[in-house]
Amino acid sequence: MTLVFDEDDDETRPRILSNTQILAYIGRHWMREPVRFTGACVLILTAAACDLSIPWASKGLIDAVTSPARVSALAWTAWAALSALYAVQYASRSTTFRILNGLYSRIMARMVGEGFKRVQSFSTDWHSSNFAGATVRRVSRAMWGYDSASDALLLMLGPTLIVMLGLVVSFSLKWLAEGVFVAVVVGLFAIYNVTLAVKYIRPANLASNALDSRIGGALADAIGANPVVKSFGAEEREEARFDRTVQAWRVAVNDTWDRFNLVGMGQNLFVFVLQAGLTGLMVRAWSEGKAEAGDVVFAITSFVVMAGYMRNFSDITRMLQKGLDDTQDVASYMLTPPQLADKPGAPEFRGDLGEILLENVGFGYAENRRLYHDFCLRIAPGERVALVGATGSGKSTFVKLLQRLYDVDGGRIVIDGQNIAEVTQRSLRRAIAVVPQDPALFHRSIAENIGYARPDATLEEIMLAAKRARAHE
C-alpha cells in the first residue's frame, strides 16, 4: 500500500544525525553527573562480573558433589560461593536501578527543558515554517527516547558485551575449539545486529517517527484553527485530512515493526546454532575424556547465561535504535545555532524617548520580491504614524523589523541612538509594546494574559488595564 502525503513539504525538519552523534549528545548529559554515572557503571560491571562467574561457580559445585571423596565441606563452600554470587548480583542490580532512577529523571527534565529553550531561540521564520504540534512532539518524545536508549546501552548492551567477551576468553583458555566457535558465533551475531539496525531498521524507524510528528502537527493545526473549521463547516474535510496522516503513519510503523520481527528471527537462529554447536562440542570433549561432568555443566550454564542476553538482543536492538531515533530531533536542535543570534557581549537596550530612525533599509522575504529598498524614515518621540498600503506591502513587516524578528538586508534601524542589531533581542522586545492585529491567548488565567508583557505587574495594575480596555466587566 502506497500513500502519497506531501502536505508539509515546506516544513524545516531537523537534519538527520548519525547514531554516533546522538550517542555523543547522550554521553554529554551523562558526563554532567559524573559521580552518579560512575557509581551506576561500577554496579553494572559488578553484576556482569557475577554473571560471568556463575558458570565457574556452578562447575565448582558439580565437581564437589560428584567427587568420589564426598568432602561435604568443599561442597558447602562451593554452594556458598554460588549463592553469594547471586546475592551480589541481585543487590548490584537493585542499587543500580535506584541510582539510575534519579539520574534519568534529572537528565530527561534537563533534556526537554534545554530543547524547549533552544526552540524558543529560533527565529520567527523558523517557527512559521514548522508545525507547532510537530515540534512539541519532537521535544517531548526525546526524553522518552533517552530513557529507552540509556536502558539499552547501560543495562543491556554493556553487560551483554562484557559477558559474551568474558565467556569467549573462559572457553578459549581451556578448550580452544569451543572458544573459537563461541567467538565466531558471537562476532557474527554482533555484526548482524549492528548492520541491520543501521541499514535496515533505522530508515523505517525515521520514516514512522516523521509521520508520528506529523500527527502532532496535524492535530495542533486543526484544533488551533477550530473556529475557522467550524465557520466553514469543514469538520469532515479536516477529519479526512487527519485520517490520511494517521493511515500513512500506520503503514510506516507496521513496516518498522515487521523489520524488527524479521531481525529477531535471525537472532533466534544464532541462539540455536550456539546452543547446538557448543553443547555438541562439549559432549564430544566428554566422550574423548577431555571434559568432566562439571565442565559440561559449565558449558550449559554459560550457554544459558549467553542465551538470555542474546534473546534480549532483539529488544535491545529495538530499544536502542528507536531511542536514538526518538532523541535525534532534539540532539539536532542543540547542534543548530539560532538563526538570529545576539552579538557576543551585546549590551542591553536602553529605552528613552522612543525616537525611531530607519536608514537606507533593505529587506525582502525572497530575493525576487523586495519589500523595502533604501527605505528611510524618522519617527520623532511622541509622534503617531499610520502605515497605509495594500495587503502584502510591508506594514506588518515594518513592526517585525522594529522588534528584530528579522534582520534587515541593508541599512540599519536605530532606536534612541542604538542600532537594534547590536543590542540583546530580549531587552529590545521587552521595551516595545505591541498590540497584534489578531489576539492570541494562552490557556492560562485572564489576569496572566493581560499582564504577560509585565510579569511583575500587580493585580491592581492588571485590573486598571482591563478597565481601560473596557474588558473588566
Side-chain angles (χ1 to χ4, degrees), residues 205-398:
N205 211 35
L206 288 174
S208 59
N209 272 2
L211 286 162
D212 177 77
S213 297
R214 192 175 292 174
I215 287 176
L219 273 171
D221 200 37
I223 293 174
N226 184 260
V228 177
V229 174
K230 288 187 179 299
S231 296
F232 290 92
E235 288 90 346
E236 290 185 2
R237 192 196 322 161
E238 290 300 323
E239 289 164 10
R241 181 187 179 95
F242 182 70
D243 185 63
R244 290 198 300 273
T245 307
V246 173
Q247 292 306 318
W249 169 82
R250 181 187 62 78
V251 172
V253 82
N254 226 40
D255 179 47
T256 303
W257 293 342
D258 285 343
R259 294 189 185 203
F260 275 121
N261 187 54
L262 285 173
V263 172
M265 292 172 63
Q267 290 167 344
N268 289 332
L269 180 61
F270 275 101
V271 174
F272 171 75
V273 170
L274 180 64
Q275 178 270 325
L278 181 58
T279 53
L281 287 170
M282 289 306 299
V283 169
R284 187 188 70 173
W286 172 81
S287 65
E288 294 174 352
K290 298 177 181 178
E292 302 298 330
D295 296 326
V296 175
V297 170
F298 168 81
I300 293 174
T301 308
S302 296
F303 164 73
V304 170
V305 172
M306 286 191 290
Y309 282 110
M310 291 174 73
R311 286 195 188 95
N312 287 336
F313 222 92
S314 178
D315 294 331
I316 295 173
T317 304
R318 181 197 299 264
M319 286 178 62
L320 179 56
Q321 193 57 69
K322 188 175 188 314
L324 293 176
D325 291 338
D326 286 351
T327 307
Q328 94 96 29
D329 289 332
V330 166
S332 177
Y333 288 153
M334 299 309 294
L335 294 176
T336 303
Q339 294 75 27
L340 288 175
D342 292 335
K343 292 184 177 180
E348 297 280 300
F349 175 78
R350 302 180 310 280
D352 188 12
L353 298 175
E355 181 188 49
I356 299 173
L357 184 63
L358 280 75
E359 299 178 341
N360 305 111
V361 167
F363 179 77
Y365 293 104
E367 286 295 328
N368 59 351
R369 186 172 180 274
R370 311 296 295 166
L371 288 175
Y372 300 114
H373 181 71
D374 288 332
F375 178 53
C376 296
L377 175 68
R378 178 182 180 273
I379 301 177
E383 184 179 7
R384 293 186 178 184
V385 175
L387 301 177
V388 181
T391 299
S393 61
K395 302 185 298 298
S396 299
T397 300
F398 179 84

Side-chain angles (χ1 to χ4, degrees), residues 375-438:
F375 178 53
C376 296
L377 175 68
R378 178 182 180 273
I379 301 177
E383 184 179 7
R384 293 186 178 184
V385 175
L387 301 177
V388 181
T391 299
S393 61
K395 302 185 298 298
S396 299
T397 300
F398 179 84
V399 178
K400 292 176 181 177
L401 291 177
L402 290 184
Q403 294 179 283
R404 204 194 163 199
L405 297 178
Y406 296 92
D407 271 334
V408 296
D409 300 332
R412 65 176 190 158
I413 299 176
V414 178
I415 301 179
D416 285 338
Q418 302 159 81
N419 187 340
I420 65 171
E422 296 178 355
V423 299
T424 62
Q425 299 172 64
R426 185 169 297 182
S427 64
L428 171 69
R429 292 165 190 159
R430 282 176 176 170
I432 299 174
V434 178
V435 179
Q437 182 177 355
D438 298 318

Side-chain angles (χ1 to χ4, degrees), residues 87-245:
V88 173
Q89 181 197 56
Y90 295 147
S92 299
R93 286 183 173 167
S94 297
T95 310
T96 299
F97 290 135
R98 178 82 177 191
I99 293 175
L100 289 181
N101 284 344
L103 180 69
Y104 279 18
S105 62
R106 276 193 301 278
I107 289 177
M108 290 164 72
R110 185 169 63 231
M111 184 178 288
V112 75
E114 291 178 353
F116 173 69
K117 182 178 179 180
R118 177 52 60 96
V119 167
Q120 287 275 87
S121 73
F122 291 160
S123 68
T124 299
D125 196 36
W126 185 94
H127 282 278
S128 65
S129 301
N130 284 268
F131 282 126
T135 302
V136 169
R137 199 92 159 190
R138 288 169 182 148
V139 173
S140 60
R141 189 171 58 210
M143 62 181 183
W144 298 112
Y146 163 82
D147 183 44
S148 297
S150 293
D151 273 352
L153 283 167
L154 295 178
L155 299 176
M156 298 180 182
L157 184 59
T160 297
L161 296 177
I162 293 170
V163 170
M164 293 291 190
L165 181 61
L167 290 176
V168 165
V169 172
S170 296
F171 275 107
S172 300
L173 290 175
K174 193 165 185 179
W175 306 284
L176 183 59
E178 284 80 349
V180 170
F181 172 77
V182 173
V184 169
V185 174
V186 170
L188 291 175
F189 181 77
I191 293 171
Y192 168 84
N193 280 282
V194 172
T195 302
L196 290 185
V198 175
K199 302 293 185 182
Y200 181 63
I201 292 175
R202 193 178 191 215
N205 211 35
L206 288 174
S208 59
N209 272 2
L211 286 162
D212 177 77
S213 297
R214 192 175 292 174
I215 287 176
L219 273 171
D221 200 37
I223 293 174
N226 184 260
V228 177
V229 174
K230 288 187 179 299
S231 296
F232 290 92
E235 288 90 346
E236 290 185 2
R237 192 196 322 161
E238 290 300 323
E239 289 164 10
R241 181 187 179 95
F242 182 70
D243 185 63
R244 290 198 300 273
T245 307

